[in-house]
Amino acid sequence: MTDRERLYWIWLSQRTHGGTSTVNTALRYFSSPEEVWLADKDTLAASGIEWRGRMDSFLDKDLSQAEKIAEYCDKNSIGIVTLQDYFYPERLKALANRPILMYYIGNFCDIDANPCVAVVGSRRPSRNGELSAKRISYDLAVGGAVIVSGLASGIDALAHKAALYAEKFTVAVLGCGVDRVYPEENRSLYGEICEKGLVISEFAPGTPPQARNFPIRNRIISGLSAATCVIEGGMSSGSLITAEHAIRQKKPLYTVPSSIFLTQASGSNHLLKVGARPLLTAFDLLYDLKGDFPDSISINTGEKSKNKAKNKKKTADNPDSEKTGFLFGGLKKKYSRDILPPEFEGAEQPAEAGVQAPEDRTENAPPRVLSFDLSEDEKTVFEALTYQPKTAEELGLELSASKTLRILSGLEIKGLAESFAGGRYALADG
């Protein structure tokens, strides 16, 4: 990719405005960012694309902002991967609202060849939630899974730490620029992932951690992964948004059962009612993954792990002796049921309850309406929707047009659909 082509990709990515469906539709019609950039008003209008009030931004041909971003990335060793690049994950390409490019720090490796597992949950977990996150994430990592999470306080951070403790690769998907550390308490963890794993974001460098960005990035967490695991999460938590994305993407969804008296687990327990698979040990997930990734997953419940101190001394004597390779294949330890080493039990605790992250919901926030809470007719209509606006008749359902329109109006109220002129509806963006 030439420097000029990279500018076109960055320019196009700046036209997402919190949602990528319009950009993706334009890219499919015009086939390349350069063609979109060259298109004048008449050409854009003749395409028949629903511009959602954003055509003016596509008529702005100024590349100066893209040039600044490209220059900043070059100076700060920030990589850019676009839809046309070999490394862009096929798992993400399958999404209708796929990010057209992503910025990264670290090793951008072959995501599709590896059994990536999204591990997400509460930012203020219970003690049992903390132990579950450590135990399951560590066992998954040693068993060959690549942990993907969001670097948030609580479960996310513990999942990343468990993978790193197991000396395995981990992927952090940010709701801000890859050069921004959020939350600040995870600065050390962020640095370690940059060095030993991958930090990635669709938001340009310098983008602050705004609250609206985090639900948007959650589709990438589930999209990169072959399965999603929720460990504690309230009815209004971001982890349930990730779970909903996993269901939309037809990815296996797991959750760890928790006490019915835990407020922070009300949402994750609810997932069990609507079809999530209970996750009692990492084996539940590893056995399911082994069929698709026989060469990556290692399940050995009987073998004791090697002496940890001896292994650490070996690595210290020869830092290059065990490095993660191009396909995450550097470390091939056998899976073990040994308890976590005591030093990991002393890992940092999550943030104080009084500190609220931008992506957190308030105690009094109404529960998010999830697609799996819908009636059968609502599910039928919801599953027929795409990001391209259509009329009730164009959805091709057996329901009457009047009933379909009533359901579509209800889905719009619930934040799952968006209405357009001419009685057309599409999936809500983001």
Side-chain angles (χ1 to χ4, degrees), residues 6 24 26 60 77 79-80 84 106 115 182 191 220 254 334 348 408:
R6 184 172 63 158
N24 272 296
D60 179 1
S77 300
I80 301 176
Q84 76 174 25
Y182 183 82
I220 300 179
Y254 299 78
K334 292 292 185 181
E348 291 181 17
L408 287 168

Side-chain angles (χ1 to χ4, degrees), residues 43 83 115 128 195 261 373 410:
T43 304
L83 275 171
N128 282 338
E195 179 183 351
F261 301 108
D373 287 331

